[in-house]
Amino acid sequence: MVDVHAALGRAGLRNVHVREYVRYWAELTGAERIEVISTSDDARLIGEALADGEILPAGEGRYYSRSYVKDTARSEERTIVATSNPADKGVYNNWRPAGEMRPLLEERMRGASAGKTMYVVPYLMAPSGSPLERYAAGVQLTDCRTVALHMIRMARVGVHYIDNLADPGSFVRAVHVTGDLAKLGQGTPDDQRCFVTIADERTIVHFGSSYGGNALLGKIAHGLRQAAYDGWASGEFLAEQFMLIGITDKLTGKRYHVCGGFPSASGKTNLAMMLPPDALADRYRVDFYGDDIAWLRADPDDGKIYAINPEFGVFGVAKDTSEVTNPTALAAVAPGTGTLFTNVAYNDLTHEVWWEGRTPAPPADLAGWRDWTGTLISERPTEDTGAPWAHPNSRFTTTLANVPNVAPDFDDPKGVPIDAIIFGGRTRDREPLIRAITDLAEGVYDGLTLGAEATFAAEGVEGLLRYDPMSMRPFMAYPEGAYAAHWLRVIGSAASQPIFAHVNWFQRDPEDGHYLWPGYRDNLRPLIWLLRLKEGEVRGRQTPVGIIPAHGELDLDGVAATPEELRTILSIDTPRWKQEMRHRERHLEQFAELPEEIWQAHRRVAAALDDAD
Ligand code: SPV
Ligand code: MN
C-alpha cells in the first residue's frame, strides 16, 4: 500500500479531509504511487510525457496526443446525475439513486489503477477571492498524466487552493479512473463506461475514458453539473454553458458584457473570441472572458447580475478554426503557448498539425502526415481516402491568458456586470438575425425553447428542432421546472435586469442554401444594436416574438448582404412560428412543475402570433 501520508506531506498538503479522501481512493483503485500536482510541475510532467511517448512535440512549446480510437468525445448516455432524493429526477439529467451508483462505480474502479500513478490535482474553478469560491474548490484524482496536463491548462491548480479553505471539508471530490480502454465495449450494450456526479455528496466518479468532459472533471462535471446543482441548492447562483465577452464603445467609453448559450456546433467559441469587423474596429473593442462556462449571481451591493468564467483555459474544437473563422484562437495556440492538441492530424517529420478547415485544402506534400488514428495518410486504404485527417471533435487546449484579446480583468474575483443574455441556435429558417426580449419570463422561456436543427435528417421530423434548454441539455443537474424557477428567482432578484435576445447566424436561402448573413466578426453588429436598444438609443420594431432591428438601425457599413437577404433575416415568418409554437408546447409539457410565469409567456407569444394574422 502506497504511503499516502508521506506523499501528501512532501507536497505540503495538510488538509486532513483531503488526506482521508486520497487515502480511500488510493486504496480502492490500487494506485502504486501518489503525486500531488501544481501548475509549477507542468514542465517536468511535459518532459516525462514526451519521454514516455505519451505526447509528441508539435513545434516550439506545443504538444500533440492521440486518444484511444473509441474514446473521442463525451458520452451523454453514459453520464448520470445521482442523488439520494428521487424528486431530483428531471427529463434530461439521467437521474439515478446515489445508493446504486456509488457501489457500481467502486466495483469498476477497484484495483483499476494498479501499477499506475495517481495524480492529485487540487484546483479552483473560479478566480481566487470570488464570492463563489466556496463552490469552486475541488481535488481531482486521476491515473492519467495527460489529464493532469489538461487540468493545469483548464483550471487554477495548486496545493494552496485547497489547503486554506474556510471549511476544510468543503471541496468537490472528483475521481477519475481511466480503465482498460481497449476492453470497455464503448458503444455496445455491454458498455462499461460510467460518468456519475453524485451531486448531493459533491462527489464525481468517472470511469472509462481519458478524453474531454469525461476526464477533465473540473470542467463540465464540476464547472457545470455540480455547480448548477450547488447554485440551485444554495439558491445563490446559476452555472451555465455560456460564453462571456466584453464590448467597449471607445467613443463613449462605455463598457458592456454579454453572455449566452449556444448548442454544440453553433459557433460559441468563434463568437467568444471574435474581433470587430474592420469597419467598426475604430469604435469598438471586443474582449474575451470565456468560451464555455459562466457562473451568474446577483450582487446585493449594486443589484446587478455578475458573471465569472470559472475556467482557466479553452478546450476548443479544432475543426474549422482558421484565420477567417477565428484568428484569435490560432494566435492562442501559436508556438510557445504550451498548447496541447488532441486527435488532429500530425506530421512525424515536421511536427506540424493540421485539421479540416485550417486551410482550404490539406497539405499537398503528404510526407510524414498521419491522420488522427496514427495511420500514414499516404498508406490509407483507398476506401478511406475521403475520410477526415482530424477527428471532427479534435481539440486544442490552451490557457485563457494566451488569447490575444483576453480581457484585462478576466481574473477579477468579482466578475463582470452582465448587460445582455443571448441564446442562439442553428436554424435555417424561422429565427431572425436577432430578436430582443425585455421581459424576464419571456427571456427564460426563450432559453428553455432553444433548439438547433437535428444534425442528421433521420433524427428528426421536418421542421422540428432538437431542443436544448439554455444549451444545458447534456449538463442538466436538476429538474427543468425547478431550473426555470431558479432562473426567475436569481435574475429576478437583481434590481438592474439584463436584456435578453435570441440570435441566429445561420439562416439560409431556401433555394440554393447559401447563408444569408456573413457571420463571424459581423455578429458584433446585432449585439451592438441590442446594447443600443437597452440604452434607449434605438427603438426597434415590436413583433409577436420580440423586438427586431427597424430599417436603418443595424450598422451595416461594409456588409456584403443584399437588401433581399437582409429583409429575410430581419423579418418574422408567422406561419412557421405558429407551427413552432405547437412543437414548443409539447417540449415544455415534459417538464414537471414548470412555473406558471413560463406558461404565461408561452401563451402571450402564441396569442400575439394569432393576432398578427
Ligand atoms: C462540450 O462538449 O460542450 C465541451 C467539451 O465543452 S467537453 O469538455 O468534452 O464536454
Ligand atoms: Mn461546452
Side-chain angles (χ1 to χ4, degrees), residues 74 219-220 224 241 264 268 291-292 475:
R74 277 188 295 107
K219 184 176 176 52
I220 298 298
L224 282 176
Q241 193 194 203
S264 304
K268 184 156 54 78
D291 76 321
D292 202 37
F475 314 112

Side-chain angles (χ1 to χ4, degrees), residues 154-231:
M154 294 305 297
R156 292 157 176 92
V157 171
V159 169
H160 59 286
Y161 292 120
I162 214 75
D163 233 18
N164 306 307
L165 296 174
D167 174 359
S170 175
F171 56 91
V172 169
R173 288 146 172 83
V175 187
H176 167 246
V177 170
T178 306
D180 187 349
L181 295 174
K183 294 192 182 145
L184 298 179
Q186 293 93 338
T188 69
D190 192 31
D191 201 326
Q192 298 295 300
R193 298 173 298 166
C194 206
F195 310 118
V196 182
T197 296
I198 308 176
D200 53 355
E201 296 177 26
R202 306 193 77 228
T203 296
I204 299 164
V205 269
H206 280 207
F207 173 77
S209 167
S210 62
Y211 198 69
N214 298 332
L216 316 177
L217 302 188
K219 184 176 176 52
I220 298 298
H222 179 167
L224 282 176
R225 280 189 206 94
Q226 183 64 57
Y229 189 90
D230 289 344

Side-chain angles (χ1 to χ4, degrees), residues 122-128 130 132-139 155-156 161-162 165 170-172 202 218 222-223 227 230 237 295 308 310:
Y123 65 82
L124 194 66
M125 295 307 290
S128 280
S130 159
L132 298 175
E133 189 171 314
R134 64 188 170 286
Y135 302 106
V139 178
R156 292 157 176 92
Y161 292 120
I162 214 75
L165 296 174
S170 175
F171 56 91
V172 169
R202 306 193 77 228
H222 179 167
D230 289 344
F237 68 107
W295 291 3
I308 55 162

